Amino acid sequence: MMDTPEKTQISSSLSKFEESPVFNYINSLSPIKPVKSVHVTQTFNPLSFASLPSIFTSPHVSSHKESRFLKSYTDPLKPELSSADGTKVSTNEEAGADAQENFDQGVSLGETSFEMPNEPSRIAIGLPQTLKYDCGSPDCDATPCVIKTTSVSDTSLAIVPFVQEAPEKGLSDGVEVQDTFQVEQKRDSIGSEWESLISDTSDLLIFNSPNDSEAFRGVIQKPLDPGVLISQFSQDDTNEACQTTVDLDKYKDQTEGAGEMNEMNPVNESFEDASVTNFISGSLTDYMETRMSAPYSFKPDSNLHRGFRRRCLDFEMLAARRRNLDGCSTTNSSTDNKLVPGKPDSDSPRCIVPGIGLHLNALAIASRDNKNMKLETLSSGTQKLSFPSLNSPRTGGAETAYESLPSASTERETDAVENGVQLAEDASQASAYFVNEEFNQNSPKKKRRRLEQAGEGESCKRCNCKKSKCLKLYCECFAAGVYCIEPCSCQDCFNKPIHEDTVLATRKQIESRNPLAFAPKVIRTSDSVPEVGDDLITTPASARHKRGCNCKKSNCLKKYCECFQNSIFVVFKGGVGCSINCRCEGCKNAFGRKDGSAIVETDGEPGEEETDPSEKNVLDKNFEKADILNNEEQNPASALPTTPLQLCRPLVQLPFSSKSKPPRSFIAIGSSSTLYTGQRYGKPSIIRPQNIIEKHFQTIAEDETPEILRGNSSPGTGIKTLSPNSKRISPPQCELGSTPGGRSGRKLILQSIPSFPSLTPKH
DNA sequence: GAGTTTGAAACT
DNA sequence: CAGTTTCAAACTC
């Protein structure tokens, strides 16, 4: 490999590169002289970064990998970054130390964001710059190919290459790392590069994929310092693509579920292949789709997704659809097969959100799957991304998945933005969630919730059906398009792979009656676009319950109310409030009343709503109670689909749904799980009226958010800002696209938690 | 953990 | 479409 012609080319190019003014400039800027500038250069030269700029714009970069990204990124690029940003770029050593620290502290994204708020920005900035300058990060090796082939605009993609670098190596010694890196690079032929690239990308981009989640799990599960694991992982991925498998194995060994890891490897490989193919073809969309689809197609071994044992009923459809879409994607086909309904056994995670930010979601989901995971994760410090999503249990994941697919292909920017948001949210939520979980574990209620949520979050809800046989919408599992699993306490359950035929038949029947029966209940309205749908109209919240509630006694302040239920989670995305569609009586939903007023905005609210002390108490209680788990439901993803922003995403119709609406089940992950959602944020934080939250966010955002974020070039951000809910939140999210945002988001969350006073929405 | 409350889903 | 019943989650004790 080392001798491969390509390498040589690179070398030659390096020399050229060095000569270039840019190179000189960079060198001058960077405090640290890249030991092997040549090295870096090499990579970049080959690459044509022309397209890069666009890429970076997107927030998509998976935040979850941030830590990883940072590490790797910093090491190689650090010189560049420093020069480019002008901001202090951590030296390699620093980077390494930081990275390690970060990891140690907690891979947790949230933590990362807290402590290293700047880094994200740095990274974000650095990447683009790097591209401009062509300075190569060690990562560049792989990157170049990717970039060139894909003319993708996706940040995530662009980033991927960088990520590849193994952090750990760099950690201990910046210099050494570089050397090593060079050596490795040399060794690795282009082919290897591709692999590494792919693997990396997959990691970054597709955390959503079952594999990722599992990988994360592995990391998380690992009793050892998660950071270490992660770092290792990244190293392996980045530096030694070929060795990736081996490394993974290591992970396996480390991780309790060895089997999981094994599975992952294969999957990753397949993904890689597919991704490569896609890239080559030059279609980012394809790539994304592949990625997205991958998760579904995956049929993770049972072991992998223990938590996900449940299978997404909708998967089949997805798979089928996917097949249609991508006739070509090699991997897809395989994956699809896995998804095939026929397999009752399939453990595929039902809800993996395909979005870029998904990884976080995946994490969250994974965590949910395994309660243990949550804890572990917490320790590690990761978040939920859950991004997705995010919706009420029922709505859940299906939406996310559903949406995600289309969106990815169609709207990048939007997606990016949303993804970024999701990521941020997810991450934050996840972190919050984890935290909460840890704290909460003790209480029985919490326990219960955890279980429930875990199920939900994971995409799978746990049901307790006794008479419905889990074949009616009463059953959350069924409603979510998920099979019941062990955790369920249902009796005479027919919602199992064994009874797949029955399930499908029943499902169809229900859909025939109500095409939207399995559609996401919560529709995310575009924050930016106020008008949007019918739902929105009055409600300030960015998301709305599709049908609206019919509450009479709960005042929409309890989880009995589906709107409220969702609102709890949605906080980050914008709570789901009641809307005109609701027929509720005495609505006091803080996130949006039937009349359109929101507590937050309550300036003019009617006295009734205004806050009854008693009501307040209720809310607080509810919020508190409402575990983050609930929030998880919200999965942004689910909501997203409908959102105007989401709009971009073409809805993919599942075979099932008579109408175009996506079955929740699909995305279960995202939506239902909402995993991310961090409900955890601390209950308080989340719940609190948006005002408070927003304020917090703002404050934080303003103060802490990197310039980039503020300035945010990211298109998405601007838009989101519009919506009340998303406003504050969005900034971080958007940014996070790359990471910064994500972190910021995390920060916000964490910080917010403590600060959140009590509800007092009004003031 | 048992019992109650609640509102969605299902049914008529 | 409205009213009633069924159901399971949410909640309370």
Side-chain angles (χ1 to χ4, degrees):
Chain A
M1 298 292 281
M2 294 175 66
D3 293 347
T4 60
E6 292 177 355
K7 285 246 162 176
T8 12
Q9 289 179 352
I10 294 168
S11 304
S12 60
S13 63
L14 285 175
S15 60
K16 290 179 181 180
F17 192 72
E18 289 177 354
E19 294 178 359
S20 71
V22 173
F23 181 85
N24 293 337
Y25 174 75
I26 293 167
N27 286 343
S28 62
L29 293 179
S30 68
I32 298 172
K33 302 276 176 179
V35 174
K36 301 195 174 179
S37 59
V38 172
H39 187 58
V40 172
T41 11
Q42 289 179 345
T43 356
F44 288 106
N45 270 344
L47 303 179
S48 54
F49 293 98
S51 63
L52 292 181
S54 61
I55 295 169
F56 288 106
T57 54
S58 80
H60 277 297
V61 179
S62 61
S63 60
H64 70 285
K65 292 242 166 179
E66 290 178 358
S67 59
R68 183 183 184 189
F69 178 81
L70 290 175
K71 291 179 182 178
S72 59
Y73 190 96
T74 50
D75 291 352
L77 298 181
K78 117 176 129 163
E80 295 175 358
L81 291 176
S82 62
S83 63
D85 291 349
T87 58
K88 91 171 195 199
V89 175
S90 61
T91 61
N92 290 345
E93 302 107 6
E94 288 179 359
D98 290 351
Q100 277 216 334
E101 288 179 359
N102 290 345
F103 284 101
D104 291 352
Q105 287 173 350
V107 175
S108 66
L109 299 179
E111 287 182 359
T112 313
S113 61
F114 286 93
E115 300 190 354
M116 313 262 314
N118 295 341
E119 289 186 358
S121 60
R122 275 191 250 158
I123 294 170
I125 296 166
L127 288 176
Q129 289 178 346
T130 309
L131 293 177
K132 286 180 181 179
Y133 296 102
D134 287 356
C135 308
S137 66
D139 296 348
C140 292
D141 296 350
T143 10
C145 298
V146 173
I147 293 169
K148 287 181 179 179
T149 50
T150 63
S151 54
V152 176
S153 58
D154 245 315
T155 311
S156 59
L157 292 179
I159 291 167
V160 171
F162 295 100
V163 173
Q164 289 179 347
E165 289 158 47
E168 286 182 353
K169 289 183 179 179
L171 295 178
S172 54
D173 237 21
V175 174
E176 287 183 357
V177 171
Q178 288 181 346
D179 293 347
T180 308
F181 192 74
Q182 289 179 347
V183 173
E184 288 180 354
Q185 285 180 345
K186 290 179 180 178
R187 285 188 307 179
D188 295 351
S189 61
I190 294 171
S192 63
E193 288 177 358
W194 275 107
E195 288 180 355
S196 62
L197 200 141
I198 294 167
S199 63
D200 290 348
T201 50
S202 61
D203 289 352
L204 293 177
L205 298 180
I206 307 179
F207 247 43
N208 299 338
S209 71
N211 293 341
D212 291 348
S213 64
E214 286 184 359
F216 260 86
R217 280 188 194 173
V219 173
I220 294 166
Q221 285 181 350
K222 217 180 161 181
L224 297 181
D225 182 348
V228 173
L229 291 176
I230 292 169
S231 62
Q232 288 179 350
F233 196 153
S234 60
Q235 281 185 344
D236 295 347
D237 291 352
T238 57
N239 294 340
E240 302 173 352
C242 297
Q243 295 178 352
T244 306
T245 306
V246 174
D247 292 342
L248 291 177
D249 291 350
K250 278 187 195 174
Y251 270 111
K252 274 203 303 189
D253 294 348
Q254 291 177 350
T255 59
E256 293 176 356
E260 292 179 357
M261 292 304 294
N262 290 338
E263 291 177 354
M264 288 182 65
N265 291 341
V267 173
N268 287 341
E269 290 180 357
S270 62
F271 272 107
E272 290 180 355
D273 293 347
S275 60
V276 170
T277 304
N278 291 341
F279 274 89
I280 293 170
S281 64
S283 164
L284 176 59
T285 303
D286 291 351
Y287 174 80
M288 293 301 292
E289 286 181 0
T290 304
R291 285 306 204 175
M292 311 263 303
S293 61
Y296 298 101
S297 56
F298 268 130
K299 199 186 193 141
D301 291 351
S302 57
N303 291 345
L304 287 179
H305 304 283
R306 307 175 202 162
F308 292 104
R309 290 273 169 150
R310 295 182 185 180
R311 158 181 152 194
C312 209
L313 297 178
D314 296 5
F315 275 12
E316 296 177 355
M317 304 179 84
L318 258 185
R321 181 186 173 200
R322 270 217 151 284
R323 293 173 189 168
N324 294 339
L325 294 177
D326 314 333
C328 19
S329 66
T330 57
T331 52
N332 290 347
S333 63
S334 65
T335 49
D336 289 350
N337 293 340
K338 292 176 181 180
L339 293 181
V340 176
K343 304 181 178 178
D345 296 351
S346 65
D347 294 342
S348 63
R350 47 188 257 249
C351 333
I352 292 171
V353 178
I356 291 172
L358 297 186
H359 60 284
L360 293 179
N361 292 338
L363 291 177
I365 293 167
S367 64
R368 288 181 183 178
D369 290 348
N370 294 342
K371 295 173 183 179
N372 295 341
M373 294 291 298
K374 290 179 181 179
L375 294 176
E376 292 177 354
T377 344
L378 283 175
S379 63
S380 65
T382 11
Q383 127 190 43
K384 130 183 205 123
L385 229 214
S386 157
F387 294 144
S389 61
L390 341 179
N391 343 327
S392 65
R394 291 181 181 178
T395 41
E399 294 174 354
T400 309
Y402 189 68
E403 294 172 356
S404 64
L405 290 177
S407 64
S409 60
T410 33
E411 309 171 82
R412 286 194 182 162
E413 291 180 355
T414 303
D415 288 350
V417 172
E418 286 186 358
N419 288 346
V421 172
Q422 281 187 347
L423 288 177
E425 289 178 358
D426 290 351
S428 62
Q429 288 178 354
S431 60
Y433 174 71
F434 290 117
V435 172
N436 289 342
E437 288 260 326
E438 285 182 353
F439 294 108
N440 295 341
Q441 286 179 346
N442 297 339
S443 75
K445 284 187 179 180
K446 298 268 171 175
K447 199 177 183 182
R448 178 184 175 186
R449 285 185 181 176
R450 275 191 302 165
L451 294 177
E452 292 176 356
Q453 291 179 348
E456 292 178 357
E458 296 165 344
S459 63
C460 306
K461 310 211 152 175
R462 298 188 177 174
C463 66
N464 191 31
C465 305
K466 295 178 181 178
K467 296 181 180 180
S468 66
K469 296 182 180 178
C470 299
L471 291 177
K472 293 191 176 183
L473 293 174
Y474 294 126
C475 176
E476 289 191 5
C477 297
F478 180 79
V482 186
Y483 286 119
C484 291
I485 54 176
E486 294 178 0
C488 293
S489 304
C490 45
Q491 300 175 3
D492 297 333
C493 178
F494 277 75
N495 186 26
K496 294 183 178 179
I498 298 172
H499 301 289
E500 184 175 3
D501 294 343
T502 303
V503 173
L504 294 176
T506 303
R507 191 178 169 112
K508 286 181 180 179
Q509 193 175 13
I510 293 171
E511 284 189 331
S512 65
R513 251 183 294 165
N514 176 14
L516 300 180
F518 294 93
K521 294 185 177 178
V522 176
I523 297 173
R524 180 182 180 93
T525 62
S526 63
D527 297 348
S528 54
V529 181
E531 63 314 51
V532 187
D534 335 30
D535 298 348
L536 318 187
I537 308 175
T538 32
T539 321
S542 58
R544 296 274 176 306
H545 193 270
K546 201 187 275 174
R547 288 180 294 176
C549 64
N550 191 31
C551 305
K552 294 179 180 177
K553 296 181 179 180
S554 66
N555 293 332
C556 300
L557 294 177
K558 294 189 178 182
K559 288 183 78 177
Y560 294 125
C561 174
E562 289 190 353
C563 296
F564 177 84
Q565 210 171 38
N566 290 304
S567 63
I568 294 170
F569 305 95
V570 182
V571 174
F572 284 93
K573 279 220 164 182
V576 174
C578 290
S579 64
I580 293 174
N581 292 335
C582 297
R583 290 147 293 174
C584 49
E585 297 177 2
C587 177
K588 296 177 182 178
N589 188 329
F591 293 92
R593 297 180 190 173
K594 183 179 176 183
D595 58 2
S597 62
I599 292 173
V600 174
E601 298 175 346
T602 7
D603 297 347
E605 290 188 8
E608 9 169 305
E609 304 193 351
E610 287 216 348
T611 56
D612 255 356
S614 58
E615 290 180 359
K616 277 190 179 180
N617 293 337
V618 174
L619 281 176
D620 289 345
K621 268 192 177 179
N622 287 330
F623 280 113
E624 290 177 359
K625 289 183 178 178
D627 291 351
I628 295 166
L629 301 179
N630 293 336
N631 296 339
E632 292 175 354
E633 291 178 355
Q634 305 178 335
N635 270 346
S638 60
L640 297 179
T642 39
T643 315
L645 290 181
Q646 304 163 348
L647 323 181
C648 304
R649 306 178 179 181
L651 292 182
V652 176
Q653 273 238 311
L654 296 182
F656 256 127
S657 57
S658 55
K659 294 190 176 180
S660 55
K661 294 194 175 177
R664 309 169 183 169
S665 48
F666 267 154
I667 312 171
I669 293 180
S671 54
S672 56
S673 358
T674 6
L675 10 161
Y676 326 67
T677 3
Q679 312 198 343
R680 310 6 254 78
Y681 317 107
K683 339 157 167 207
S685 61
I686 296 172
I687 303 161
R688 273 35 192 122
Q690 294 175 345
N691 294 348
I692 296 169
I693 295 170
E694 289 180 359
K695 286 182 180 179
H696 272 299
F697 281 104
Q698 269 192 338
T699 310
I700 295 168
E702 292 176 357
D703 297 349
E704 295 178 355
T705 2
E707 292 177 357
I708 296 172
L709 297 180
R710 295 180 191 168
N712 254 345
S713 44
S714 75
T717 17
I719 295 170
K720 290 189 174 181
T721 345
L722 298 180
S723 75
N725 295 341
S726 25
K727 281 183 183 178
R728 280 77 205 248
I729 297 165
S730 61
Q733 293 173 345
C734 295
E735 301 166 354
L736 78 163
S738 36
T739 30
R743 290 183 181 181
S744 62
R746 296 172 189 172
K747 283 185 174 183
L748 294 175
I749 295 168
L750 294 176
Q751 290 178 352
S752 63
I753 294 170
S755 57
F756 281 146
S758 18
L759 297 184
T760 56
K762 287 215 163 172
H763 301 296

